[in-house]
Amino acid sequence: MNHLERVRDILPILAALYAMVMVANIHAGPRLMLPASTGIDAERVVAGLKWHMLEVGRNEQNEALLFPGN
């Protein structure tokens, strides 16, 4: 299966998903605004996610070295 056939297979699913999200956003109530000082810092969250993903990658590399073929 080449890339064009894969895109043709996936495109209707993506269009349906996009339509569902748009309808859900139209029917959703107004978004709640968080207070200015929630104590949640987006930079800390992103840094934590980045650290986690790097650790997962390191673990996968180490496992590949210890157990080749898995």
Side-chain angles (χ1 to χ4, degrees):
M1 179 179 286
N2 64 21
H3 296 298
L4 185 59
E5 290 174 355
R6 287 182 184 174
V7 170
R8 285 183 185 160
D9 291 342
I10 294 172
L11 191 60
I13 296 168
L14 291 178
L17 180 63
Y18 179 76
M20 285 190 326
V21 169
M22 290 298 110
V23 169
N25 280 335
I26 290 169
H27 291 289
R31 292 189 174 137
L32 298 174
M33 298 299 292
L34 292 175
S37 60
T38 59
I40 299 172
D41 184 16
E43 291 178 4
R44 286 181 57 207
V45 171
V46 171
L49 288 172
K50 182 180 176 182
W51 175 85
H52 177 72
M53 294 304 292
L54 289 172
E55 287 296 314
V56 168
R58 284 188 197 115
N59 289 341
E60 291 291 329
Q61 284 181 341
N62 290 337
E63 287 179 8
L65 291 175
L66 292 174
F67 307 106
N70 284 341

